[in-house]
Amino acid sequence: MNAPSRSASQKPVPHNPGQPIAPEYFRAIAEGTVDWEIWFSTTGDLLWVNDAVRRFTGYTPQECSAMDAFPLPLIVEEDRQRMAAHLRNAVAGSTENNVEFRVAHRDGSTPWMAMSWQPLRDDDGQSLGFRVSVRDVTEIRELREKLRLQNEHLEQLVQERTAKIAQLEEHRLKMEKLAAIGELAAGVAHEINNPLAGIRNAFALLKRHLPDTVKHYDKLSLIDDEIERISSITHQMHRLYRPSEQSASTFSIHETQRHVESLTLPTSRKHGVAVQWHFEPLPSRVTLGKDQIQLRRGELKQVLINLIHNAIQASERGQEVHVSIQPHGERFQIVVSDSGSGIPEDLIDRIFDPFVSTKVAKVGQGMGLGLSVTRGLVEGMRGDIRVESQVGRGAVFTVDLPRTL
């Protein structure tokens, strides 16, 4: 049971050095400790609890003394069975430090505590039970949880940065490989163009002097078309890897849109695919008038034409291709979307790589250079190009460009 309180006349007299310390001093020290102190008998019954229990649990020492199986009724149900096992070990003579549990406080809160205990013995080594000291560790646990979350966040950042570094390294190696291939391809394209020009001129001369009654004359047009196709491929290869020779100029994006619309109309009619244009005017800027931009006019036209032709070729007859030009902060965006076959999942990450094409199933279409050239032109104007696609539901290409190069 809890020790009875003392009257004022029972206050200990001042202690003289060298004399035995009166029990009242020990009692005063125990009552005055910040921690919640408990003394159990050798059978685990409560002998004494200090007044700090009131601050920790909301219950008085007298109320605690009246509880069965103290302190288990003050422990939250989820932790009660575990702490009962620890108390049994304490009765058996064990020693533990900082065993954490939650208290069911009278006000409804469940603060965290840390319990430590050790056996008590007299001068003859006889057991006097065991002493328990409890301290509040709620703030420590909150700090520990914050530290854990911070560590998780840091680990996540490290993983993200590591993945980014690996991605950049992979991209660097890929660019080095493409640069080496590109240098070779540009040289080959240049070397092919020279004899190809001679073949084309000689063939044109022969064709001009052959009557159309000659056997297999109809095959001459096929040969001419294939020579032109080879020339187109080598031209794209050369353009893909050579630096731009165009300079920026100020012009109207609306006017460029009208030119591209007329240039793509024949392809649109041939495939039976309508191209719908959506133009949102670009606001005036300090150095630019309404709808004006300062970029490489010819390369911007080429970007638009390449994307629109690709969208048309990916569409079925009767479908539509939508092209929108709209302001985007200090920049502007070109969005080209179709409802065609879409891009397979295994190709979408490589769709801008050279010689990657979704048109291989169509005879005579696609060497996989158009989008590579387009990306090179866009990035050369400090822009960005990305694609979103679902198989069977078409593709959306978005080009983001500055208004001034």
Side-chain angles (χ1 to χ4, degrees):
M1 294 181 60
N2 199 48
S5 61
R6 302 186 309 273
S7 66
S9 61
Q10 293 176 306
K11 291 182 179 178
V13 295
H15 175 66
N16 294 320
Q19 297 296 320
I21 299 175
E24 288 80 5
Y25 280 101
F26 292 109
R27 181 179 288 112
I29 292 171
E31 288 289 358
T33 57
V34 176
D35 289 349
W36 168 14
E37 298 288 340
I38 315 168
W39 183 9
F40 289 97
S41 71
T42 55
T43 58
D45 297 319
L46 174 63
L47 296 177
W48 174 83
V49 58
N50 71 347
D51 196 61
V53 70
R54 191 194 310 266
R55 187 175 70 255
F56 281 70
T57 68
Y59 294 89
T60 66
Q62 292 75 20
E63 289 174 315
C64 293
S65 296
M67 292 179 184
D68 291 332
F70 176 87
L72 296 180
L74 298 179
I75 299 175
V76 297
E77 188 175 352
E78 294 85 354
D79 297 341
R80 194 171 299 162
Q81 185 175 355
R82 174 173 58 86
M83 295 308 296
H86 282 301
L87 289 172
R88 287 194 296 269
N89 292 335
V91 172
S94 70
T95 299
E96 286 288 348
N97 286 309
N98 298 323
V99 177
E100 296 184 0
F101 65 99
R102 286 164 295 170
V103 160
H105 198 283
R106 175 168 260 160
D107 64 8
S109 62
T110 56
W112 279 93
M113 306 292 158
M115 178 186 289
S116 302
W117 63 88
Q118 58 278 325
L120 294 176
R121 300 186 183 277
D122 61 16
D123 293 340
D124 296 326
Q126 296 298 315
S127 175
L128 300 176
F130 60 97
R131 170 182 171 266
V132 173
S133 182
V134 182
R135 58 191 177 91
D136 191 325
V137 293
T138 303
E139 291 186 3
I140 294 175
R141 285 190 65 95
E142 289 175 354
L143 292 173
R144 190 188 303 161
E145 178 64 14
K146 289 180 181 178
L147 182 60
R148 184 188 66 81
L149 294 175
Q150 183 68 18
N151 285 339
E152 286 184 357
H153 179 62
L154 290 175
E155 287 178 5
Q156 183 179 358
L157 286 178
V158 169
Q159 290 175 358
E160 290 175 356
R161 298 291 170 85
T162 302
K164 184 66 176 177
I165 291 172
Q167 183 181 5
L168 291 173
E169 179 64 15
E170 182 180 355
H171 182 71
R172 183 187 67 81
L173 293 174
K174 184 177 181 181
M175 289 301 99
E176 288 180 357
K177 181 179 179 181
L178 288 177
I181 295 174
E183 186 176 351
L184 176 63
V188 170
H190 178 73
E191 292 302 319
I192 289 176
N193 270 332
N194 290 332
L196 188 63
I199 292 172
R200 174 188 286 166
N201 292 334
F203 179 77
L205 184 63
L206 288 173
K207 184 179 178 182
R208 189 182 309 135
H209 291 86
L210 286 177
D212 56 9
T213 56
V214 174
K215 187 177 180 181
H216 300 307
Y217 184 84
D218 57 321
K219 301 297 188 298
L220 297 181
S221 296
L222 177 61
I223 296 172
D224 201 14
D225 289 343
E226 292 304 301
I227 292 174
E228 182 61 34
R229 182 164 175 254
I230 294 172
S231 176
S232 175
I233 291 170
T234 56
H235 174 73
Q236 287 190 74
M237 288 174 63
H238 191 253
R239 179 159 193 163
L240 178 63
Y241 297 107
R242 68 180 175 87
S244 174
E245 297 174 357
Q246 293 189 20
S247 58
S249 61
T250 302
F251 57 94
S252 168
I253 183 65
H254 198 188
E255 181 182 347
T256 301
Q257 173 220 324
R258 290 196 298 269
H259 288 169
V260 173
E261 189 174 359
S262 63
L263 290 171
T264 56
L265 187 58
T267 304
S268 170
R269 289 175 175 170
K270 177 182 176 181
H271 289 80
V273 176
V275 178
Q276 302 293 339
W277 288 81
H278 311 275
F279 183 81
E280 186 176 339
L282 306 183
S284 299
R285 292 286 181 262
V286 176
T287 58
L288 296 173
K290 181 180 179 182
D291 296 336
Q292 282 191 329
I293 58 176
Q294 190 180 53
L295 295 173
R296 299 176 186 131
R297 186 201 300 257
E299 294 185 1
L300 181 61
K301 280 185 182 179
Q302 189 64 50
V303 167
L304 280 164
I305 291 170
N306 286 357
L307 292 178
I308 293 170
H309 279 174
N310 273 6
I312 290 172
Q313 292 170 356
S315 303
E316 299 294 334
R317 185 171 293 273
Q319 291 182 332
E320 293 182 346
V321 169
H322 292 264
V323 184
S324 70
I325 301 175
Q326 57 201 23
H328 188 244
E330 295 297 317
R331 302 165 72 87
F332 71 99
Q333 284 188 340
I334 300 168
V335 181
V336 180
S337 61
D338 63 72
S339 302
S341 56
I343 302 171
E345 189 174 340
D346 61 326
L347 290 182
I348 196 163
D349 291 335
R350 301 185 293 117
I351 196 64
F352 294 106
D353 291 349
F355 306 109
V356 175
S357 175
T358 61
K359 307 172 190 174
V360 291
K362 299 181 179 181
V363 177
Q365 282 194 22
M367 279 293 294
L369 292 173
L371 286 177
S372 297
V373 170
T374 300
R375 181 178 64 177
L377 296 177
V378 169
E379 291 180 349
M381 291 186 284
R382 293 189 290 110
D384 176 67
I385 184 170
R386 58 186 181 274
V387 60
E388 297 176 4
S389 179
Q390 288 185 340
V391 175
R393 301 185 64 177
V396 179
F397 285 86
T398 303
V399 176
D400 184 84
L401 286 166
R403 289 185 64 178
T404 303
L405 186 60

